[in-house]
Amino acid sequence: MPVNRREFLSSAAALAAASSSPLLAAQPGAPASPRRRYALVGTGGRGSSMWGKGVKDKWGDTVEFVALCDPNAKRAEVVRDIIGVTCPVFTDFDRMVKEARPDVVAITTVDVHHAEYIIRALDLGIDVITEKPMTVDEQQTQAVIDAEKRNKRKIIVGHNMRFAPAHVRIKELMLSKPVGPIRSVDFHWYLDTSHGTDYFRRWHGIKAKSGSLWVHKATHHFDYVNWLLDAEPVQVQAYGGIKRYGSAGPFRATNCRPCTHKTECPFYWDMTKSPSAMRLYGGEVEKADGYLRDACVFRPEITSYDTMTATIKYTNDVILSYSLNAYMPIEGYSLAFNGDGGRVEIRDYAKQPFEVPSDLEVSVIKAFGTRTKVDIPTVEGEHGGADDALRNLIFRRPQVPDHLKLPDSRAGAMSALTGIAARRSCEENRPIAIADLVRF
């Protein structure tokens, strides 16, 4: 029987407009509560916007900014002005906790430092919101799990991708089992030479800082699939290489601004033409710690893979075929769920140099039967409305069905461990079992 629109009109996914979604609603009849004391740890681009100014402007009635903490005090001072708050700035976490007494901290530092701040916050009796990835290796993951066990505090992991209204609709579709039991998944992510290249200008290009794009970027994608399948990874076999950036490139420099190859390099970026980048990372801020926001994408220090593929087996015996390439002429993803009764196809057209009928196409293809397109809501806002939905869940706490609950430490661990296992598989040229990495 052809799939029709009525089959998907349930729960949050029934609402095409963000303003009417339960993800963006206040708790009905909930009594007013005092603002929680809120500290931001890490004041780079994501911290200053998503967890800084964005929170202050839209959810400032639920939290009170009591501190900003960053090893670079100059940047923290700049971000304090950007957010529009008057709270003190700290470079030492323990001193910040002692003097500012936050109830909750949002951790948006360089990825490798997430775990140390999560653990310290939990041990000091503070709830944690952490950007993904929660951790970058199995030792960190185990330490966070152990810290949560010995403390009665809460970890929320910022997997915003789940909460875009379009993705909520897809989740509701999958819950309806439109093609019966799922047997395999095809998932291919495309980063173009704007978005993809920019990772290699920054600290993300260094595996020791980001865990590689297997962890920093693909963690998003693994959480998305884990959530859609309602399953967890069991084993990962992966391959990866540096094919376009790092030592594979033709030029060498420290960073773009003094580079002698400006006219030849296809990835030259004039940082001075970006007021926001110069404010956050240039001038006195740059002098304070020496971090170069426009680092050469061909510097030999780059260790993160730009070309990746993996096969992942899940607890429900589903097999996922995944790839990520960071130098494509297009941006977006292709995702398909193959079942006994057909195939669900999802194609996200984030950016490309040609016209497309719509930014996101979702179809249900019945085995030897019809192809039916699914209506998908379009919502304005960062990441298709996902950022607002996630923050509203955290700060307004509306009632939502179980499949829209906030990602916890288990979700954060499983998504990160998928990438960690993939990275180890690349390095060791063997399949990696998730159960061999941590004990829950």
Side-chain angles (χ1 to χ4, degrees):
M1 183 178 69
V3 178
N4 61 63
R5 187 170 184 269
R6 185 181 300 275
E7 291 178 297
F8 313 121
L9 299 186
S10 62
S11 187
L15 305 169
S19 59
S20 61
S21 169
L23 288 174
L24 292 172
Q27 176 75 42
S33 57
R35 293 192 299 168
R36 300 191 76 192
R37 298 175 65 82
Y38 177 81
L40 178 65
V41 183
T43 56
R46 187 67 170 166
S48 61
S49 57
M50 170 73 172
W51 301 107
K53 185 170 174 56
V55 171
K56 162 69 164 49
D57 289 353
K58 294 186 178 181
W59 292 274
D61 62 316
T62 71
V63 297
E64 175 190 0
F65 278 78
V66 297
L68 304 182
C69 185
D70 195 294
N72 189 326
K74 291 288 185 182
R75 181 177 298 117
E77 290 166 0
V78 168
V79 169
R80 179 170 56 187
D81 291 340
I82 290 172
I83 297 172
V85 292
T86 58
C87 62
V89 163
F90 297 87
T91 58
D92 181 84
F93 183 80
D94 279 26
R95 182 185 170 196
M96 182 269 289
V97 170
K98 182 178 179 180
E99 296 184 15
R101 298 176 289 104
D103 300 315
V104 59
V105 296
I107 298 170
T108 63
T109 62
V110 173
D111 294 348
V112 72
H113 299 302
H114 288 181
E116 64 187 83
Y117 288 120
I118 292 171
I119 293 165
R120 189 64 182 142
L122 294 174
D123 285 342
L124 292 172
I126 303 168
D127 289 334
V128 173
I129 303 164
T130 181
E131 261 295 342
K132 60 83 196 166
M134 186 177 78
T135 55
V136 300
D137 61 38
E138 60 270 39
Q139 292 82 13
Q140 287 189 351
T141 308
Q142 188 68 65
V144 168
I145 292 168
D146 293 344
E148 188 175 39
K149 285 180 180 178
R150 67 177 177 261
N151 293 285
K152 295 181 180 180
R153 308 311 304 180
K154 184 177 182 180
I155 299 174
I156 296 170
V157 183
H159 281 302
N160 57 334
M161 190 172 175
R162 295 184 181 198
F163 301 111
H167 295 162
V168 171
R169 179 68 59 84
I170 292 168
K171 174 63 176 179
E172 297 288 340
L173 169 63
M174 297 307 297
L175 286 171
S176 74
K177 301 186 184 302
V179 295
I182 301 301
R183 305 304 185 188
S184 67
V185 181
D186 311 317
F187 194 6
H188 307 291
W189 199 277
Y190 317 112
L191 291 173
D192 69 11
T193 50
S194 172
H195 188 186
T197 305
D198 204 41
Y199 285 114
F200 295 87
R201 294 190 184 102
R202 298 178 282 168
W203 53 263
H204 308 75
I206 308 301
K207 192 188 297 184
K209 295 183 178 181
S210 65
S212 80
L213 292 187
W214 275 125
V215 179
H216 175 81
K217 184 62 179 176
T219 294
H220 256 326
H221 313 153
F222 298 141
D223 179 72
Y224 185 40
V225 172
N226 295 352
W227 176 61
L228 291 176
L229 288 176
D230 193 22
E232 293 181 341
V234 173
Q235 188 177 71
V236 182
Q237 173 74 65
Y239 300 92
I242 304 173
K243 308 291 187 180
R244 189 68 179 90
Y245 306 109
S247 297
F251 309 120
R252 299 288 179 269
T254 55
N255 59 309
C256 285
R257 277 165 289 167
C259 184
T260 59
H261 302 286
K262 294 178 182 179
T263 59
E264 308 163 86
C265 180
F267 302 132
Y268 167 70
W269 176 52
D270 188 352
M271 177 177 161
T272 63
K273 292 184 178 179
S274 171
S276 61
M278 290 300 295
R279 189 177 184 187
L280 270 180
Y281 300 105
E284 294 301 313
V285 174
E286 181 178 274
K287 291 177 184 177
D289 61 10
Y291 174 64
L292 300 173
R293 175 60 180 82
D294 61 342
C296 178
V297 301
F298 298 130
R299 65 196 188 282
E301 294 81 13
I302 285 175
T303 50
S304 289
Y305 308 116
D306 55 29
T307 306
M308 295 166 278
T309 185
T311 301
I312 303 165
K313 186 174 182 179
Y314 281 82
T315 48
N316 57 1
D317 208 34
V318 168
I319 298 173
L320 165 67
S321 175
Y322 172 84
S323 71
L324 186 152
N325 292 284
Y327 44 85
M328 297 290 98
I330 59 174
E331 178 90 6
Y333 71 87
S334 173
L335 174 60
F337 295 88
N338 306 305
D340 289 355
R343 175 175 167 97
V344 176
E345 288 190 347
I346 303 159
R347 182 66 172 91
D348 179 274
Y349 295 95
K351 188 168 62 172
Q352 56 283 314
F354 49 85
E355 294 293 324
V356 293
S358 60
D359 292 339
L360 183 65
E361 297 178 352
V362 179
S363 299
V364 175
I365 304 171
K366 293 293 187 178
F368 306 104
T370 59
R371 176 177 183 263
T372 303
K373 288 190 176 181
V374 179
D375 290 338
I376 298 295
T378 300
V379 175
E380 296 296 322
E382 288 295 315
H383 299 107
D387 288 1
D388 277 358
L390 173 61
R391 287 179 295 199
N392 202 65
L393 275 173
I394 294 171
F395 299 115
R396 297 258 185 256
R397 292 173 284 177
Q399 290 181 335
V400 293
D402 285 346
H403 63 272
L404 295 177
K405 294 292 178 64
L406 288 164
D408 59 12
S409 61
R410 178 88 184 198
M414 281 300 169
S415 56
L417 286 168
T418 312
I420 291 163
R423 186 187 68 231
R424 281 194 55 178
S425 180
C426 292
E427 294 167 347
E428 300 174 19
N429 194 28
R430 66 180 181 92
I432 303 295
I434 300 298
D436 292 340
L437 300 179
V438 297
R439 302 178 313 279
F440 284 96

